[in-house]
Amino acid sequence: MSNLIPISIEPDVLTDFVEEFDQIYQEIEHRTIMLEDEPYNINLLIEIKTYFSDLWYQSNKLDMIALSESLHETIKCFNILLEWQVYPNGMSQFILLLIDCIMTLIRDIQHQAVINIQKTQNILMALQYIILVENIDKIESGVTKAIKSITQEMNEFLIDHIF
């Protein structure tokens, strides 16, 4: 069974989506860096979640189900952090790695017209380390595990594209 799902989106619609993603990517990156200096600024976390929500909405509209699922779980992760009003150590690193993984998925869609299900599943698995944390005392451990998982995904991506 192939891990690749073909995507059929009109080229101009896809170009618009990729351009919007590039803008959102920059905004998420900027706000994540700002959070490093202001880790208690929950408004920045809300803004980042809103950008992920925008991506989720667009991916749903374009019927990119696998990507939508990853983005939906990302939003769930942010909801937990917002509910607990916490921004754990390492979260900035995780957000930046996560958005990079999502970028690789979108680049695959753009250049190959496919979504790699294995990559989306790996993202979902990394997010579960945060989503399934039972209490606030274990959130940093969950983030650390999520970072390790998403770093492995990015390393596999680099190996696939170098060789």
Side-chain angles (χ1 to χ4, degrees):
M1 182 177 129
S2 174
N3 286 330
L4 304 177
I5 296 178
I7 299 291
S8 57
I9 300 173
E10 296 294 320
D12 58 332
V13 173
L14 184 56
T15 299
D16 290 346
F17 176 73
V18 170
E19 287 174 4
E20 183 175 347
F21 172 77
D22 286 339
Q23 291 173 356
I24 289 174
Y25 177 92
Q26 295 296 321
E27 293 298 330
I28 290 172
E29 185 177 59
H30 175 70
R31 281 170 179 71
T32 302
I33 292 168
M34 288 173 62
L35 266 170
E36 280 294 299
D37 295 331
E38 303 174 52
Y40 299 105
N41 187 342
I42 297 299
N43 291 327
L44 289 170
L45 196 58
I46 291 169
E47 289 175 18
I48 292 169
K49 177 191 158 205
T50 301
Y51 285 117
F52 277 108
S53 296
D54 291 346
L55 284 174
W56 174 76
Y57 175 76
Q58 291 301 324
S59 66
N60 270 339
K61 196 167 82 171
L62 296 177
D63 215 17
M64 293 186 241
I65 305 300
L67 178 60
S68 296
E69 289 174 1
S70 294
L71 292 166
H72 182 263
E73 292 299 300
T74 300
I75 294 163
K76 191 185 292 185
C77 176
F78 281 103
N79 285 338
I80 290 168
L81 297 174
L82 288 166
E83 179 182 323
W84 287 344
Q85 300 237 337
V86 64
Y87 190 74
N89 290 330
M91 195 63 197
S92 293
Q93 180 183 5
F94 177 72
I95 293 170
L96 294 172
L97 288 167
L98 175 64
I99 196 69
D100 284 343
C101 280
I102 293 170
M103 180 193 289
T104 65
L105 289 171
I106 291 173
R107 296 296 181 224
D108 285 348
I109 294 168
Q110 180 183 23
H111 298 297
Q112 301 170 17
V114 296
I115 291 181
N116 186 318
I117 294 300
Q118 186 61 49
K119 287 181 185 177
T120 62
Q121 293 301 315
N122 291 345
I123 290 171
L124 291 171
M125 187 176 76
L127 288 164
Q128 294 305 306
Y129 287 115
I130 297 170
I131 292 169
L132 296 177
V133 169
E134 296 167 357
N135 63 54
I136 198 167
D137 298 332
K138 297 181 181 180
I139 191 68
E140 286 191 23
S141 172
V143 170
T144 300
K145 289 176 184 175
I147 289 170
K148 288 178 184 175
S149 179
I150 208 94
T151 300
Q152 180 179 351
E153 172 61 29
M154 286 305 293
N155 288 340
E156 289 174 15
F157 169 79
L158 292 172
I159 288 170
D160 288 348
H161 286 81
I162 292 173
F163 299 106

